[in-house]
Amino acid sequence: MSKMHEEHNHSQHHHEHQSDTTIKEIKKGDAHSIHQHKTIKDEYKKHNGNGHAHHEGMIEDFKKRFWISIILTIPVLILSPMLQMFAGLHNELRFPGDTIILFILSSIIFVYGGYPFLQGFVNETVKEKRPAMMTLIAIAITTAYVYSSLITFGLKGEDFFWELATLIDIMLLGHWIEMKSVMKASRALEELAKLLPSEAHKFSGENIIDVPIEELIIDDLILIKPGEKIPADSVVIDGKSNINESMLTGESKPVQKQKDDVVIGGSINGEGSLKVKVSKLGKDSFLSQVIKLVEEAQKSKSRTQNLADRAAFWLTILALASGIITFFVWNFLITSSAAFALERTVTVMVIACPHALGLAVPLVVSVSTSLAARNGFLIRNRAAFESARIMDAVVFDKTGTLTKGEFGVNEVLTYNNFNKEEVIDLAAALEAHSQHPIAQGIVSASKNKKEAQEFNSITGKGIEGVVDNKNIKVVSPGYLIENKILYSEDEIQKLQERGNTVVFLLVENKVAGAISLGDIIREESKEAIRSLHELGVKVYMLTGDNKSTAKCVADELGIDEYIAEVLPHQKTDKIKEIQQKGYKTAMTGDGVNDAPALAQADIGIAIGAGSDVAVETADIVLIRSNPNDIPEILDLSRKTYKKMIQNLWWALGYNIFAIPLAAGVLYKMGILLSPALGAVLMSLSTVIVALNAQLLRIKKPS
């Protein structure tokens, strides 16, 4: 306990110095320093708060306009001569000035309820010179209002104020529902920002005080109690616990953390208490970087979305042309009334509104982006993510991607009645004194820790010492050859041909065992390769290792082709060679020395970014060091594209089918769409598109 107190006091002095430095920096006007102390919630509010507030305000505005318009529509329906006639109450409900009241109520609905669409027309057509869906609605309701107003003040014909009112009501309702759907789909950022707790238990000398996380600064020492959320990216100073990072990385299995390990703000502590030191805040934190990448992905446009935008533009032109032709044909060629011709024109305009088309891609993008973030896939380039569906070759960097990038024991040979456990434990007792990667691999494989005395290094050949009162040596094959100690050369040669490093354990100068160490293959790698093959993707492996080592790994994992003895600067050329064979290629690496190759590939995927997700050269960043995420991202890309195409076909197919009906081509067969019914069908199309996008969330069993 006294040791803990000393640590606290020492850290407090350091902390006070840090605080003094910070105050001086702020007094100097160091904007960067001030910015560093902003919390993730500050960052979120800065980047997203205003946008979300604006969006929510628009939803409330549409809701308010809808309810006021629907209330005013009731007397409009009652006063409408056409509906009175349908109900057989034409004489009973008429009174002096009723047409003026009908005109006034309809005018209020047109101006107040129709304002968003009229404003949209100005933005699209007048300012941006790109007429689209708002233009169609504005033209439809304006045409209906102007014509009905002329009827009220003397022009012969029948008004359809009631159709104007119901059309605006339905359009407002459709927009309200659509905006709520979009808002719901884009909540990923807000939910991420909510992961942080509001307070932290900060060490202050020998005391612990609760402070708002906004007051935390770099190097603050804080206590994380069992079951609590971690308030900031930190390094463990003392303690051991399992951390649930699933909401950040998608990894369902808790990760054990101990001294010197990094913990991520927003993750949940398990059963142990941790003393941690704050390492990152504000824009530098893991969670803030995730939020930034998700936000960028949601804002970026994919190729399919650009296609949808072009289709919406041409559909608008088609609708305007169809409306003009419809009015001309009905009014001048079929000698119908102007009111009927105008009604057909208005209906065509309503049916042609590309609302479903406009939402077809953005809704799928929002859903897939939030799904990706939840599963640990951070999409930096939407177009690249969409292209993942056509990848037919994936190139893996071996070290750190398919393998763990660290030495581990993969085989133990025993001699002279020693068992594997004894060989490892005795060797580990000596290797515990060494910092060599091979030594660490042996130590981590030992379950029973033994103590070694009289430790000594054998220059260039190994180490020796006394364990359990016996002389123990861990040496290279060269030592055995030099000292003419016999061993099984064939067995050792086979291990070495697989790229393994072999060391021998000698007990009293007799061979007790041979320990084979190599780069440990990740358990998930074999499953990842199998899944990629099921998707019809060819798998390559790049490595700087020799051919025998590369072949061994490739054979074990079932990799199609391997390219060995590749230096880091040569990886880009190898990617080009694979592309020249006609393959759409994805490169998967650690995002550091693989950066040029990631940039050269059709898609660059950085795997195992861990707490550092700012990999500038990668199109997609996979937080976990799990090769299985590669086929997952390819599969999600294919499903996302499929949903986009389904939505586009539904939206366009609906318009292609409905516009002729709205124009009245089947009028003689008794099939005719009214403007109000056209609005209902259009809104139904939009709702179907929105629901279809949400179906992407349903994960079918593989």
Side-chain angles (χ1 to χ4, degrees):
M1 190 68 185
S2 59
K3 184 180 179 182
M4 284 280 284
H5 283 244
E6 289 173 6
E7 288 179 3
H8 297 171
N9 292 331
H10 173 74
S11 62
Q12 175 65 11
H13 292 312
H14 176 75
H15 172 73
E16 288 169 359
H17 173 73
Q18 175 74 25
S19 300
D20 291 340
T21 304
T22 304
I23 293 168
K24 290 174 184 177
E25 288 174 343
I26 293 174
K27 285 180 178 178
K28 288 178 182 178
D30 188 337
H32 176 70
S33 175
I34 296 170
H35 185 64
Q36 283 295 96
H37 297 123
K38 288 189 176 181
T39 65
I40 296 169
K41 290 183 178 179
D42 292 332
E43 290 291 309
Y44 173 79
K45 289 175 183 176
K46 185 182 77 174
H47 288 113
N48 305 285
N50 293 336
H52 275 283
H54 175 68
H55 201 84
E56 288 176 347
M58 290 179 67
I59 292 174
E60 284 301 311
D61 183 61
F62 271 100
K63 178 182 176 181
K64 183 180 178 181
R65 290 179 190 274
F66 167 73
W67 283 114
I68 291 176
S69 297
I70 203 79
I71 291 170
L72 294 175
T73 298
I74 296 173
V76 169
L77 295 175
I78 295 172
L79 294 173
S80 172
M82 188 179 295
L83 292 184
Q84 289 175 356
M85 187 173 61
F86 288 156
L89 300 171
H90 186 63
N91 295 324
E92 288 83 348
L93 297 177
R94 293 303 303 272
F95 58 87
D98 59 348
T99 56
I100 299 299
I101 294 175
L102 178 61
F103 167 74
I104 293 172
L105 292 173
S106 300
S107 298
I108 295 172
I109 294 173
F110 172 70
V111 174
Y112 180 72
Y115 175 77
F117 311 113
L118 298 173
Q119 186 185 45
F121 165 76
V122 173
N123 291 335
E124 289 178 350
T125 307
V126 179
K127 294 181 179 179
E128 299 176 9
K129 305 294 189 295
R130 288 188 63 86
M133 46 192 165
M134 286 298 194
T135 300
L136 288 175
I137 302 171
I139 291 175
I141 63 175
T142 301
T143 306
Y145 175 73
V146 171
Y147 179 77
S148 297
S149 298
L150 292 174
I151 297 296
T152 301
F153 293 102
L155 186 69
K156 289 185 178 181
E158 297 178 350
D159 72 73
F160 43 96
F161 278 129
W162 73 273
E163 290 175 304
L164 164 70
T166 53
L167 172 58
I168 289 176
D169 293 341
I170 291 170
M171 298 308 298
L172 286 171
L173 177 62
H175 270 70
W176 178 22
I177 294 173
E178 290 160 14
M179 293 181 74
K180 284 181 69 177
S181 298
V182 173
M183 189 69 178
K184 182 179 179 181
S186 63
R187 290 284 185 184
L189 301 183
E190 188 174 333
E191 293 304 313
L192 283 174
K194 288 180 180 177
L195 290 176
L196 291 178
S198 57
E199 290 186 333
H201 311 303
K202 175 181 164 184
F203 284 96
S204 179
E206 297 183 4
N207 300 317
I208 297 176
I209 58 173
D210 291 342
V211 298
I213 63 169
E214 290 82 0
E215 295 181 9
L216 292 177
I217 63 172
I218 303 297
D219 288 340
D220 268 350
L221 294 176
I222 54 178
L223 174 68
I224 314 295
K225 297 178 181 179
E228 289 187 336
K229 289 182 179 179
I230 295 170
D233 289 10
S234 309
V235 176
V236 178
I237 301 299
D238 191 19
K240 181 187 293 185
S241 184
N242 290 319
I243 305 296
N244 183 349
E245 299 178 344
S246 60
M247 70 293 296
L248 297 168
T249 66
E251 178 60 66
S252 58
K253 185 179 179 181
V255 182
Q256 188 178 79
K257 302 288 184 178
Q258 53 192 4
K259 193 176 188 302
D260 295 332
D261 286 340
V262 173
V263 292
I264 302 171
S267 54
I268 301 173
N269 188 24
E271 73 289 345
S273 292
L274 295 175
K275 177 185 177 183
V276 302
K277 182 168 69 174
V278 176
S279 58
K280 292 180 181 179
L281 289 170
K283 66 181 180 62
D284 296 324
S285 68
F286 173 83
L287 189 54
S288 184
Q289 291 180 54
V290 171
I291 289 173
K292 181 182 176 183
L293 289 183
V294 175
E295 182 190 24
E296 288 175 353
Q298 288 184 335
K299 286 182 178 178
S300 66
K301 286 191 175 183
S302 66
R303 294 187 181 96
T304 311
Q305 191 167 349
N306 290 328
L307 174 64
D309 291 342
R310 290 196 299 273
F313 172 76
W314 287 111
L315 183 59
T316 302
I317 302 301
L318 173 64
L320 291 171
S322 300
I324 294 170
I325 293 170
T326 298
F327 183 82
F328 179 82
V329 170
W330 279 105
N331 195 47
F332 297 105
L333 300 183
I334 307 181
T335 65
S336 182
S337 67
F340 186 83
L342 187 57
E343 181 184 284
R344 291 301 91 216
T345 301
V346 171
T347 307
V348 167
M349 296 295 186
V350 173
I351 287 292
C353 288
H355 278 63
L357 181 63
L359 284 173
V361 173
L363 277 178
V364 177
V365 167
S366 292
V367 173
S368 67
T369 302
S370 61
L371 274 176
R374 188 179 304 161
N375 288 282
F377 314 147
L378 302 180
I379 301 166
R380 301 186 70 248
N381 185 327
R382 287 293 321 175
F385 167 69
E386 190 176 299
S387 297
R389 65 186 174 82
I390 59 172
M391 291 300 110
D392 43 23
V394 172
V395 182
F396 283 97
D397 174 59
K398 180 183 81 71
T399 306
T401 304
L402 293 174
T403 65
K404 293 184 178 181
E406 58 188 43
F407 266 104
V409 175
N410 53 35
E411 195 162 346
V412 179
L413 304 179
T414 60
Y415 309 99
N416 295 320
N417 298 321
F418 282 87
N419 60 44
K420 293 182 179 180
E421 188 174 307
E422 288 175 323
V423 169
I424 290 292
D425 290 343
L426 289 171
L430 291 182
E431 298 289 10
H433 295 266
S434 172
Q435 296 300 315
H436 194 280
I438 291 177
Q440 294 174 10
I442 294 175
V443 172
S444 62
S446 174
K447 295 180 181 178
N448 303 305
K449 305 302 180 185
K450 293 178 177 288
E451 294 292 331
Q453 286 85 35
E454 301 178 28
F455 177 82
N456 185 42
S457 175
I458 305 172
T459 305
K461 295 292 189 298
I463 53 178
E464 67 177 335
V466 175
V467 181
D468 294 340
N469 297 319
K470 296 177 181 177
N471 178 266
I472 307 294
K473 292 185 180 72
V474 177
V475 295
S476 66
Y479 180 88
L480 272 64
I481 294 171
E482 185 178 299
N483 289 275
K484 298 179 181 179
I485 300 174
L486 298 177
Y487 65 95
S488 177
E489 294 186 26
D490 290 341
E491 285 184 308
I492 302 305
Q493 187 174 354
K494 288 179 181 178
L495 292 174
Q496 290 174 328
E497 285 175 354
R498 287 162 52 187
N500 294 318
T501 297
V502 180
V503 296
F504 288 88
L505 175 73
L506 304 183
V507 178
E508 301 294 351
N509 284 326
K510 292 183 179 179
V511 179
I515 303 172
S516 171
L517 300 101
D519 194 358
I520 303 171
I521 295 176
R522 296 185 186 278
E523 297 176 1
E524 308 89 355
S525 295
K526 187 173 292 187
E527 176 67 19
I529 306 304
R530 187 185 65 79
S531 297
L532 286 170
H533 285 156
E534 289 178 355
L535 291 172
V537 176
K538 188 169 185 177
V539 181
Y540 287 82
M541 182 182 74
L542 287 181
T543 179
D545 289 343
N546 59 57
K547 290 183 179 179
S548 60
T549 301
K551 183 179 186 305
C552 191
V553 174
D555 290 344
E556 184 172 344
L557 294 178
I559 290 171
D560 299 302
E561 291 188 31
Y562 63 90
I563 305 171
E565 299 174 1
V566 179
L567 297 175
H569 68 275
Q570 296 174 325
K571 291 181 179 179
T572 304
D573 294 333
K574 299 302 179 183
I575 296 295
K576 288 180 182 177
E577 290 175 12
I578 296 171
Q579 289 172 323
Q580 287 167 0
K581 294 179 182 179
Y583 289 108
K584 289 290 184 182
T585 306
M587 169 66 190
T588 304
D590 61 15
V592 183
N593 60 357
D594 298 317
L598 291 173
Q600 172 61 39
D602 296 288
I603 299 177
I605 304 175
I607 186 173
S611 60
D612 182 15
V613 296
V615 184
E616 295 301 325
T617 53
D619 299 304
I620 301 170
V621 179
L622 307 184
I623 298 173
R624 301 178 296 185
S625 298
N626 187 346
N628 263 325
D629 288 341
I630 307 301
E632 286 286 341
I633 203 74
L634 265 59
D635 186 53
L636 180 60
S637 172
R638 294 182 181 187
K639 289 177 179 176
T640 297
Y641 184 78
K642 185 177 179 181
K643 284 296 176 191
M644 288 179 178
I645 297 302
Q646 286 174 356
N647 279 0
L648 286 175
W649 271 113
W650 173 260
L652 290 172
Y654 162 79
N655 283 281
I656 292 168
F657 170 77
I659 287 175
L661 292 181
V665 295
L666 299 180
Y667 176 68
K668 290 185 177 180
M669 298 175 60
I671 300 175
L672 194 66
L673 291 179
S674 68
L677 182 57
V680 170
L681 294 177
M682 185 278 300
S683 296
L684 180 62
S685 170
T686 302
V687 171
I688 290 173
V689 164
L691 290 175
N692 190 45
Q694 295 299 325
L695 291 177
L696 191 61
R697 298 183 185 276
I698 301 175
K699 184 177 177 63
K700 296 180 181 178
S702 57

